[in-house]
Amino acid sequence: MQANPIQRVVIVGGGTAGWMTAALLSRAIGPRLAITLVESDEIGTVGVGEATIPQIRHVNAFLGIDEDELMRAVKGTFKLAIQFNDWRRIGDSYLHAFGDIGLPLGLVPFQHYWLRDRQERGEAAPDLWSYSINAQACAQHRFGRLDRIGSSPMTGTRYAYHLDAGLYGQYLRQRCDPRQVRRVEGKVVDVKLREDNGFIESLQLQGGERVEGDLFIDCSGFRGLLIEGALKAGYDDWTHWLPCDRAVAVPSERVAPMRPYTQASARAAGWQWRIPLQHRNGNGHVFCSRFISDDEATATLLAHLDGEALAEPRVLRFTTGARRRFWIRNCVALGLASGFMEPLESTSIHMIQSGISRLISLFPDRHCDPALSDEYNRQTRFEYERIRDFLVLHYRATERDDTAFWRHCRSIALPEGLAERIELFRRSGQVFRHGEELFTEVGWLQVMLGQGIVPQAWHPAADGLPAAELEGFLGNMRTLIQRAVATFPEHGQFVATHCRAMG
Ligand SMILES: Cc1cc2nc3c(=O)[nH]c(=O)nc-3n(C[C@H](O)[C@H](O)[C@H](O)COP(=O)(O)OP(=O)(O)OC[C@H]3O[C@@H](n4cnc5c(N)ncnc54)[C@H](O)[C@@H]3O)c2cc1C
C-alpha cells in the first residue's frame, strides 16, 4: 500500500488522448481516483486520426465495449491492412497486412520457405501475400471475424478499425462515470508550479477557476501546454529523418466498394491517405513544405478524391519528433503533446494507449519517484524510436527519383541500427523484432519486400524439405486461405449486417 496515494488526477485536453486517458485510468485505478478533465471548446481538437491498428481492440476488452456497438457509434469500418501505392516506384503496390503470413516449420520462419520457392519457380511462384488471409480478403473487399483457419494451426483475421475521430472521443467520454470524471469547460491560461520542488500545483482557467491536482496529464495536443510550456521538456526534431511537416485533410463522399484497408498513395512531395468510413471517406495529403506549397498540396489532394469533397480542406502543421522527456515530476504527456511521427502506419492512437498502460503499470504516489518516471521515459523513447525507424524505411528504401522530394528521401541518413537491419535482411532473409517494439517480424518483412529489398539467401533448413513436400506445404496453405475467404461476405455487407450506423 502507498503512504501518499494519488487521489486527484487532472487531464488537460479533451481529444482522443484526453478521453482515452480518463476512461482507461478511471477503470484501472478505481473509484478512489477523482479525475478532472479540462477542455476548451474554443480551441477544439485536431479532428483527424481515423485509422488504427489491431491493438485498439484491447481497449474494448478492458473497458467492456461491445465491438458492434462501438462501430455503430463511430460510423466505423474494419481495417485488415494498409495498401501502399507508388512508394517503391510509380505503378507499384504492396500491402502491410495485419496478422500472420504462412506458418513456420519448426523454428524456421515462413519467409525462408517462400524465398526458396520464389527462387526455384521464379515469376510463377505465388507472392508472399498469397499466404496472408488478410491480404486475400482485401483483394476481394471481403471481411470476416475468424480466430483460426479451419482446424489448421493458421491464425485467422487480425483487424483494426477506421473510425470517425470526433465520434470516438465522444464515445469514450460517455464511457466515463461522471461521478468519477468531472469535465470542466475552460481555457488554461496559467500553470502554477510549487516553489519547493517544481511540481505542478494547479492550473488557472480563464475566468478565474483554479484546478488543483496530485498528477497532471498533458493531453493538450501539439502545444504541449504543461510538458513544454510549463516544464520545458525539450523536443527532438526528427525532420531530417521524417521530412513531411504538413497535412491537408478533407472528407469526401464514399463510393463503392467499401475497402477493408487504408490506402496510402505516394505523391510528388508526400503521400495521400484514404480511409473509408460508413458515411464518408477521410482523406489527407501529408507533404513536405520544402518541396510543395499548401495550395499545390491541396490541389493534389482534391484531384485524387474518388468522391465529391464534403468540406473545405484544412491544413495542419507539425514537426515530426518526440519530447526529450515524456514524464517530468508530476506531469505525463500523452498523445500529440508527447510527440508526433506522422500517420503513415496509423500509430498515434496506439501510442496513447500504450502510454496509458505504461503509466498504469508504473503508477506513482504523490512523490512521483524519479525511478518510475525514468523507466517510463526509457520505454517510451524506445517505442518512439523503433516506430520512427519503421516509418523511415518507407521513405528511404524507394527507387523513385522522379521529383526533388523523392531524390531527397533516397539520401536520408539512416538512424542507427536501421542500416544493419536492412543489410541483415538483404543478405540472409532474417528479420527480428527488437525487444518489445511495436512492429513484428511480419510487418518489417512486408515493408522491406514491398519497398524492393530482396534477400540474397535464406535459412539452410528451408533447403532440407523435399521439393514435393514444399509444394504441398505451400499449396495447402493457399487453398485453406482461399476457402476461408470465400466464406466471408463483402465488407460493406458485413458492416450493414452487424453494425450499420443510424443516420
Ligand atoms: C494529419 C494527421 C493525421 C493523423 N492520422 C492518424 C491516424 O490515422 N491514426 C492515428 O492513430 N492517429 C492519427 N493522427 C494522430 C491523432 O490525430 C492524435 O493522436 C489523436 O487525435 C490525439 O490527439 P490529442 O488528443 O493528443 O490532441 P488534440 O485532438 O489536439 O486535443 C487537444 C485538446 O487539448 C485542449 N486544449 C489545448 N490547449 C488548451 C488550453 N489552453 N486549455 C484547455 N484545453 C486546451 C483542446 O481543446 C483539445 O481538447 C493524425 C494526426 C495528424 C496531425
Side-chain angles (χ1 to χ4, degrees), residues 12-18 38-52 165 186-189 205 219-223 225 247 249 273 275 286 316 318 334-337 340 342-343 346-350 352:
V12 179
T16 308
V38 184
E39 65 177 316
S40 159
D41 288 342
E42 184 191 319
I43 295 174
T45 64
V46 70
V48 281
E50 305 191 317
T52 61
K187 190 167 166 188
V188 177
V189 288
L205 306 192
C219 298
S220 65
F222 287 128
R223 67 201 76 216
L225 197 68
W273 79 75
I275 297 174
V286 176
L316 298 130
F318 54 83
L334 290 167
L336 298 172
F340 184 58
E342 78 144 85
S346 325
T347 42
S348 289
I349 294 176
H350 170 73
I352 301 170

Side-chain angles (χ1 to χ4, degrees), residues 411-484:
S411 70
I412 291 172
L414 292 173
E416 201 187 323
L418 182 56
E420 291 78 0
R421 205 165 190 159
I422 293 173
E423 208 41 34
L424 177 68
F425 183 66
R426 196 192 303 280
R427 301 215 323 229
S428 67
Q430 298 278 12
V431 50
F432 293 99
R433 187 176 184 190
H434 292 183
E436 297 280 295
E437 74 173 314
L438 175 61
F439 290 104
T440 62
E441 287 90 342
V442 185
W444 282 94
L445 173 67
Q446 293 176 76
V447 176
M448 288 207 263
L449 280 173
Q451 294 290 148
I453 303 166
V454 180
Q456 297 152 355
W458 53 84
H459 195 283
D463 289 325
L465 204 63
E469 274 181 46
L470 179 66
E471 208 181 308
F473 171 62
L474 296 176
N476 279 343
M477 269 189 275
R478 292 196 305 273
T479 306
L480 284 170
I481 287 172
Q482 288 304 338
R483 273 194 206 141

Side-chain angles (χ1 to χ4, degrees), residues 50-51 76-79 160-163 259-262 275-277:
E50 305 191 317
T77 70
F78 294 91
K79 172 178 172 184
Y161 314 127
H162 299 123
L163 42 83
R259 295 186 170 89
Y261 52 89
T262 305
I275 297 174
L277 300 175

